[in-house]
């Protein structure tokens, strides 16, 4: 029996690798409904909340209301209405609540900012510490009394010879 | 980090005139009410506008209650159903199943629902005799609440 050649191992690996890559590429992006309208419609819908699901934007959801909202957006765009006018149409019916906000707000904002705050505090503390140590080092150089200096200089004098 | 509770979301329509519309009636009601029905000026009657769908479970528990009150108050109050996001055949089956005699219009895509700013089904808008929205009830309507709303709209 012939021992396995390199190609016998690499071949299947290559096939498996290609298949994995293809399957990854073939995955549709999650949470995206079939693009039933132009990208412009989805851009506007992304800024509006889905009334039923509430955790999703009207662009991501496939709930009936969200689908209908996209249809309304498409219609109003076709009528030549501006983005602001379309948003106003929904605010008029649902209030400001219909505006979909990114999650970094209010309490959530603190969750986002706390690591930065922590790092900032750490940096500040370190800086203060270094300043203090530096000051102490300097102080120990300059705070030598005259008496001490006189004593040191006396000690540095060559000793007088004993007769 | 709580989700807003739709029951705490006040309808922006509260205290404002109810949006007018006219939609085709479901077939069983055409003989009595004509081809279309809706909210219009000069109805001169309070309206319970009930948005429903055959696939919604609370709508099923609500239907007999609405029918009972329609039978009792039909001279003073208009009970009007708006069937949304539904197949017409399913809606007709539902009506037959519960023997609903109050009229329902058909709004396949739920456009009128959006006009009224709805979040889902069932939802009931209580409109006074002047066409002003007094209140919006999200979810299933209970008998006690229904009586409460009735007291508000009846003279």
């Amino acid at each position: 029996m012939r021992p396995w050649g390199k190609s016998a191992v690499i071949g299947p690996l290559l096939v498996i690798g290609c298949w994995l890559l293809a399957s990854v590429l073939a995955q549709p992006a999650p949470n995206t409904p079939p693009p039933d309208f132009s990208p412009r419609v989805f851009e506007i819908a992304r800024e509006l909340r889905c009334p039923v699901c509430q955790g999703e934007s009207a662009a991501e959801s496939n709930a009936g209301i969200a689908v209908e909202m996209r249809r309304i957006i498409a219609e109003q765009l076709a009528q030549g209405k501006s983005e602001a006018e379309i948003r106003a149409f929904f605010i008029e019916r649902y209030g400001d609540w219909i505006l979909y906000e990114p999650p970094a707000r209010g309490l959530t904002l603190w969750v986002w900012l706390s690591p930065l705050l922590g790092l900032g505090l750490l940096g500040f503390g370190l800086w203060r510490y270094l300043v203090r140590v530096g000051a102490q080092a300097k102080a120990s150089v300059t705070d030598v009394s005259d008496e001490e200096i006189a004593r040191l200089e006396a000690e540095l004098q060559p000793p007088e010879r004993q007769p | 980090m709580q989700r807003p509770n739709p029951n705490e979301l006040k309808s922006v329509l509260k205290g404002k005139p109810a949006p007018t519309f006219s939609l085709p009636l479901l077939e069983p009601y055409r003989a009595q009410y004509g081809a279309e029905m809706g909210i219009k000026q000069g109805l001169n009657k309070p309206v319970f506008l009930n948005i429903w769908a055959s696939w919604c479970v609370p709508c099923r528990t609500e239907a007999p209650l609405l029918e009972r009150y329609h039978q009792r108050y039909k001279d003073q109050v208009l009970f009007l159903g708006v069937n949304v996001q539904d197949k017409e055949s399913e809606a007709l089956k539902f009506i037959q199943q519960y023997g609903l005699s109050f009229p329902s219009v058909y709004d396949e895509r739920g456009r009128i629902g959006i006009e009224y700013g709805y979040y889902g089904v069932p939802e009931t808008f209580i409109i006074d005799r002047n066409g002003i929205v007094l209140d919006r009830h999200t979810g299933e309507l209970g008998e006690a609440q229904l009586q409460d709303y009735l007291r508000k709209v009846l003279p």
Side-chain angles (χ1 to χ4, degrees):
Chain A
M1 211 171 90
R2 204 166 56 86
W4 277 18
K6 255 191 192 166
S7 63
V9 179
I10 289 173
L13 275 180
L14 210 65
V15 170
I16 290 168
C18 283
W19 177 77
L20 278 174
L21 189 71
S23 64
V24 164
L25 291 175
Q27 292 296 329
N31 275 344
T32 44
D36 43 1
F37 295 111
S38 73
R40 182 100 201 276
V41 171
F42 282 86
E43 264 165 49
I44 298 171
R46 209 163 289 134
E47 295 172 6
L48 299 168
R49 204 190 288 265
C50 160
V52 192
C53 13
Q54 292 178 26
E56 286 182 301
S57 78
E60 295 161 327
S61 171
N62 263 332
I65 297 182
V67 174
E68 188 55 26
M69 280 170 76
R70 292 200 291 272
R71 200 179 278 126
I72 288 171
I73 294 167
E75 277 176 22
Q76 298 200 353
L77 279 174
Q79 289 163 14
K81 289 207 170 125
S82 72
E83 231 168 283
E85 280 173 316
I86 295 170
R87 259 201 301 274
F89 170 91
F90 288 105
I91 292 170
E92 215 175 288
R93 282 150 186 80
Y94 285 93
D96 279 342
W97 176 89
I98 199 76
L99 295 175
Y100 192 69
E101 301 137 341
R105 283 179 64 93
L107 190 61
T108 335
L109 192 62
W110 289 109
V111 178
W112 282 90
L113 289 180
S114 59
L116 289 174
L117 280 172
L119 271 174
L121 279 171
L122 195 75
F124 180 73
L126 196 66
W127 175 70
R128 295 281 312 165
Y129 171 75
L130 288 174
V131 163
R132 219 176 45 232
V133 168
Q136 266 175 353
K138 259 203 198 116
S140 59
V141 169
T142 51
D143 287 4
V144 185
S145 64
D146 292 346
E147 184 205 345
E148 260 179 311
I149 289 171
R151 194 156 47 88
L152 279 167
E153 289 201 333
E155 276 185 24
L156 287 169
Q157 293 294 327
E160 283 171 22
R161 291 217 184 129
Q162 298 292 325
Chain B
M1 234 70 90
Q2 266 192 323
R3 217 183 233 200
N5 177 358
N7 293 318
E8 292 166 10
L9 289 161
K10 288 275 167 284
S11 169
V12 288
L13 281 178
K14 207 169 166 174
K16 293 203 180 119
T20 55
F21 66 90
S22 183
L23 282 172
L25 275 157
L26 286 165
E27 199 278 321
Y29 307 111
R30 285 183 201 153
Q32 194 185 339
Y33 298 96
E36 289 202 345
M37 205 167 172
I39 298 293
K40 56 178 190 285
Q41 295 288 319
L43 268 177
N44 240 337
K45 218 183 193 187
V47 184
F48 277 64
L49 189 72
N50 177 252
I51 302 175
W52 65 275
S54 66
W55 44 262
C56 128
V57 176
C59 299
R60 292 185 174 270
T61 39
E62 206 181 52
L65 178 79
L66 290 171
E67 177 58 27
R68 219 168 61 233
Y69 275 79
H70 163 70
Q71 292 292 356
R72 201 182 303 172
Y73 288 97
K74 57 183 155 195
D75 299 333
Q76 304 159 71
V77 179
L78 170 62
F79 284 84
L80 179 61
V82 181
N83 173 255
V84 296
Q85 312 257 345
D86 214 344
K87 289 194 185 72
E88 200 165 355
S89 57
E90 294 293 319
L92 292 173
K93 231 185 276 175
F94 183 96
I95 285 166
Q96 203 189 357
Q97 215 173 351
Y98 293 98
L100 304 180
S101 63
F102 66 89
S104 268
V105 293
Y106 184 53
D107 178 18
E108 187 182 6
R109 296 170 174 178
R111 179 135 316 183
I112 292 307
I114 290 180
E115 212 51 61
Y116 273 75
Y118 85 138
Y119 296 95
V121 278
E123 225 167 88
T124 309
F125 288 84
I126 294 89
I127 303 163
D128 74 8
R129 62 180 55 254
N130 306 312
I132 303 294
V133 177
L134 279 189
D135 224 328
R136 181 260 303 273
H137 188 90
T138 44
E140 194 185 322
L141 198 55
E143 186 155 7
Q145 294 152 327
L146 181 50
Q147 285 172 346
D148 244 9
Y149 291 131
L150 268 174
R151 267 194 292 277
K152 281 184 188 166
V153 294
L154 290 175

